[in-house]
Amino acid sequence: MTIRRWRIGAVAAAVLCAAAPVEAQAGYEELSRFSAVLRHISDNHADSVTYRGLVRAAIDGMLRSLDPHSWFLPAEDAAKLNALERGELAVTGLTIELADGVPTVIAVSDDSPADRAGLRPGDRVTAVDGEPVAGLSDKAIALKLAGAKGSRVRVGLERGPRLEPDSVTVTVRRDTPKPEPSVLHAVMYDDSTGVVRLATFGVKSADELRRAIRDLRGDGMRRLVLDLRGNPGGIVTEAVGMAARFLPANTLVFST
């Protein structure tokens, strides 16, 4: 038995060792093919292109082939995204989602720069500061729209029917968003039932919920209704922190 197991292991090891060079060779051939296509486009395309732009487009296309949630973010953009989620960057007041692959305005914050500039839900974003946004994620577009307070951004739009849309370019002056609480209401429904309306999962949502529960318990609350209607989501770590208040220890809340 011992000899038989050793032989099987040896055969398996030999197969693995043989497979590794084959896989490496296949990977090298595909990279060589990619490099050849890259050089050909750079040398022969009618329009001016850069290696940086071509490689970035290739990376984005590769990730889109995996699933809708994988996307590439350079380190500087990751830092900017974190600052945006913390409310440290000035914004336009637009909320954008991809509708059938088209960046579409789904909401305009009241009295925001975008609201004052005349943007409205249903507008389709085509460019930011003259650069097309086709193929970008909604987060990547949000990063392009954010910037320093008082700076201006040009937003290219399409309005009306998709077959014959009106093309519009609007200049928006960025402004710091007004801080809005995540907990909109925390009230007693009856003698023992509390209701907390949570508008979003923001940077301080877990702390706001903790204080709301503490105050409602002081009013006699023994059970809680957490109202999430209309909540578009937000920061995962805050959502996990809130879920931890209601779930047993060591419960898996989120995985990626």
Side-chain angles (χ1 to χ4, degrees):
M1 278 306 281
T2 302
I3 295 177
R4 184 176 300 171
R5 283 202 298 268
W6 178 84
R7 286 177 178 174
I8 292 173
V11 171
V15 171
L16 289 175
C17 291
V22 173
E23 293 177 359
Q25 179 66 26
Y28 175 77
E29 291 175 356
E30 293 302 323
L31 287 175
S32 297
R33 181 179 304 171
F34 173 78
S35 297
V37 173
L38 194 67
R39 287 193 302 270
H40 184 77
I41 293 174
S42 179
D43 294 341
N44 299 292
H45 195 267
D47 296 326
S48 177
V49 295
T50 65
Y51 280 116
R52 179 187 178 93
L54 291 173
V55 171
R56 176 61 189 269
I59 291 173
D60 291 341
M62 175 176 59
L63 292 174
R64 280 199 301 272
S65 72
L66 301 178
D67 56 70
H69 310 292
S70 298
W71 58 298
F72 172 73
L73 195 65
E76 60 271 19
D77 287 347
K80 187 177 180 182
L81 178 60
N82 289 333
L84 177 62
E85 291 180 340
R86 292 193 300 266
E88 297 173 359
L89 292 180
V91 295
T92 60
L94 293 176
T95 300
I96 295 174
E97 287 188 0
L98 299 182
D100 297 327
V102 179
T104 303
V105 178
I106 62 168
V108 180
S109 300
D110 292 339
D111 198 32
S112 66
D115 186 25
R116 294 191 291 271
L119 281 83
R120 51 183 184 255
D123 286 344
R124 299 180 294 278
V125 179
T126 58
V128 176
D129 281 335
E131 295 185 6
V133 297
L136 297 182
S137 66
D138 49 0
K139 289 184 179 180
I141 297 173
L143 285 179
K144 286 182 172 293
L145 291 171
K149 182 177 181 179
S151 61
R152 299 178 184 274
V153 58
R154 289 182 294 110
V155 185
L157 305 166
E158 286 185 352
R159 285 178 177 164
R162 293 198 178 187
L163 294 179
E164 298 181 358
D166 295 326
S167 296
V168 181
T169 299
V170 180
T171 299
V172 182
R173 184 186 181 95
R174 298 180 177 103
D175 197 3
T176 305
K178 298 178 181 178
E180 297 181 0
S182 298
V183 174
L184 295 183
H185 306 290
V187 297
M188 293 295 294
Y189 178 75
D190 55 30
D191 292 342
S192 60
T193 306
V195 178
V196 173
R197 175 73 182 276
L198 189 70
T200 185
F201 295 105
V203 293
K204 297 182 179 179
S205 294
D207 284 341
E208 290 183 35
L209 179 63
R210 177 182 55 80
R211 291 194 296 267
I213 292 176
R214 179 197 61 195
D215 294 343
L216 290 173
R217 279 178 171 166
D219 294 334
M221 180 187 71
R222 296 196 300 274
R223 54 188 180 183
L224 171 68
V225 175
L226 191 59
D227 186 354
L228 299 176
R229 290 176 296 174
N231 186 319
I235 301 174
V236 170
T237 52
E238 290 297 306
V240 171
M242 297 170 66
R245 302 196 62 84
F246 305 100
L247 300 174
N250 300 319
T251 299
L252 178 63
V253 178
F254 171 80
S255 64
T256 182

